[in-house]
Amino acid sequence: MLPTTSPQSNGDPSSRDAARHTAGAKRYKYLRRLLYFRQMDFEFAMWQMLYLFTSPQRVYRNFHYRKQTKDQWARDDPAFLVLLSIWLCVSTIGFGLVLDMGVVETLKLLLWVVFVDCIGVGLLISTLMWFISNKYLLKQPSRNFDVEWGYAFDVHLNAFYPLLVILHFLQLFFINHLVVINSDWFLGYFVGNTLWLIAIGYYLYITFLGYNALPFLSNTVVLLYPFALLGLLYFLSIFLGWNFTWGLCWFYKYRVQ
């Protein structure tokens, strides 16, 4: 027979230790630290942001160390999320300036981008990947080996950051002078669509690295299959003259009207 838990066992060290590692306890600790900036390691978060461009494998190697030392894969420090939010706000304001939006329109765009594009879509993608990885990619389904939802959200944030920098920052220098004004010109949509190819390619690759880093998952190579569709869409867009950046700018302006 399996041992049962008695009311008296709630106070022993093993019970207290198990309680500290529940999903609810980890979530409470993470959200609570959002209120204490001095407890956040912003220097380390900036290091992660740098290496997501140069060597993303090193970032996920750190997730291994966290699992060994703190018994969890997901981040317990919200510093990365805070810096990402600042990046998102600054780049969105830059988008509003480049597109000649007013203060109210820029504020509306900022709210849309933060709460819908980043948080809403991020929660949706993280939940979908969490379900798929636990349902189809586990080597041996077990309660002791599963993908934490918090880790799935961290993988999304890691992959979203390079996409944000490329599409919301680097692209700003080309929009008015090349990509949008000359939207029907080959060089215009070639530059714009190439930036989209690099950004989404980064997102797919860093997402793959995140789940490939988990030793209890198998067949994670399937996460690279969307590269074939991405390449096909890219060459099709160049051949047909589609301009994804022009479409994004039109969508942003339509949102705030």
Side-chain angles (χ1 to χ4, degrees):
M1 294 180 61
L2 294 174
T4 57
T5 302
S6 63
Q8 290 79 9
S9 65
N10 291 333
D12 62 23
S14 61
S15 298
R16 291 195 300 269
D17 184 68
R20 286 195 297 267
H21 289 86
T22 62
K26 294 176 182 178
R27 182 170 58 250
Y28 171 77
K29 179 181 178 182
Y30 184 87
L31 295 176
R32 183 175 176 270
R33 291 189 67 177
L34 281 171
L35 303 176
Y36 299 95
F37 278 76
R38 292 184 179 180
Q39 296 182 8
M40 299 184 198
D41 192 348
F42 290 106
E43 182 178 354
F44 182 66
M46 293 178 65
W47 173 87
Q48 290 182 317
M49 288 181 168
L50 173 64
Y51 277 98
L52 282 172
F53 278 100
T54 59
S55 181
Q57 297 92 339
R58 295 188 63 176
V59 176
Y60 287 114
R61 199 176 304 151
N62 175 260
F63 281 78
H64 274 277
Y65 300 152
R66 184 181 300 108
K67 177 61 177 177
Q68 295 172 0
T69 57
K70 300 184 179 181
D71 195 27
Q72 69 177 65
W73 290 96
R75 289 187 177 99
D76 61 343
D77 185 355
F80 187 92
L81 178 61
V82 172
L83 290 181
L84 179 63
S85 301
I86 295 174
W87 258 104
L88 188 60
C89 292
V90 172
S91 62
T92 302
I93 293 174
F95 238 101
L97 293 175
V98 169
L99 298 181
D100 294 324
M101 293 183 179
V103 176
V104 177
E105 292 178 333
T106 303
L107 180 59
K108 289 181 180 180
L109 178 63
L110 179 61
L111 295 176
W112 269 101
V113 171
V114 171
F115 291 103
V116 178
D117 296 348
C118 182
I119 298 178
V121 175
L123 294 176
L124 179 62
I125 293 177
S126 302
T127 302
L128 180 63
M129 293 301 301
W130 169 77
F131 173 79
I132 291 175
S133 58
N134 282 317
K135 183 71 174 180
Y136 301 106
L137 300 181
L138 286 179
K139 292 180 180 179
Q140 295 179 349
S142 170
R143 294 180 61 184
N144 297 324
F145 297 98
D146 64 344
V147 179
E148 303 170 8
W149 186 91
Y151 180 79
F153 188 65
D154 281 339
V155 171
H156 166 73
L157 294 181
N158 290 343
F160 183 77
Y161 173 69
L163 183 146
L164 171 68
V165 172
I166 295 172
L167 296 183
H168 260 233
F169 179 69
L170 295 180
Q171 193 169 222
L172 293 179
F173 298 98
F174 300 95
I175 285 182
N176 280 343
H177 300 288
L178 182 64
V179 178
V180 174
I181 288 182
N182 300 307
S183 59
D184 296 328
W185 189 30
F186 170 78
L187 186 59
Y189 58 77
F190 173 76
V191 171
N193 292 1
T194 300
L195 289 174
W196 277 84
L197 174 70
I198 296 172
I200 298 178
Y202 254 113
Y203 185 92
L204 294 176
Y205 178 63
I206 293 178
T207 298
F208 160 75
L209 290 179
Y211 291 95
N212 190 59
L214 299 179
F216 48 84
L217 295 184
S218 62
N219 300 321
T220 54
V221 69
V222 299
L223 300 178
L224 294 177
Y225 290 174
F227 268 105
L229 178 60
L230 178 63
L232 178 62
L233 287 175
Y234 173 73
F235 287 109
L236 189 63
S237 68
I238 297 298
F239 179 75
L240 297 177
W242 297 342
N243 191 320
F244 295 142
T245 302
W246 180 88
L248 176 68
C249 294
W250 174 86
F251 180 63
Y252 276 176
K253 289 183 176 180
Y254 175 79
R255 269 181 167 182
V256 299
Q257 289 179 354

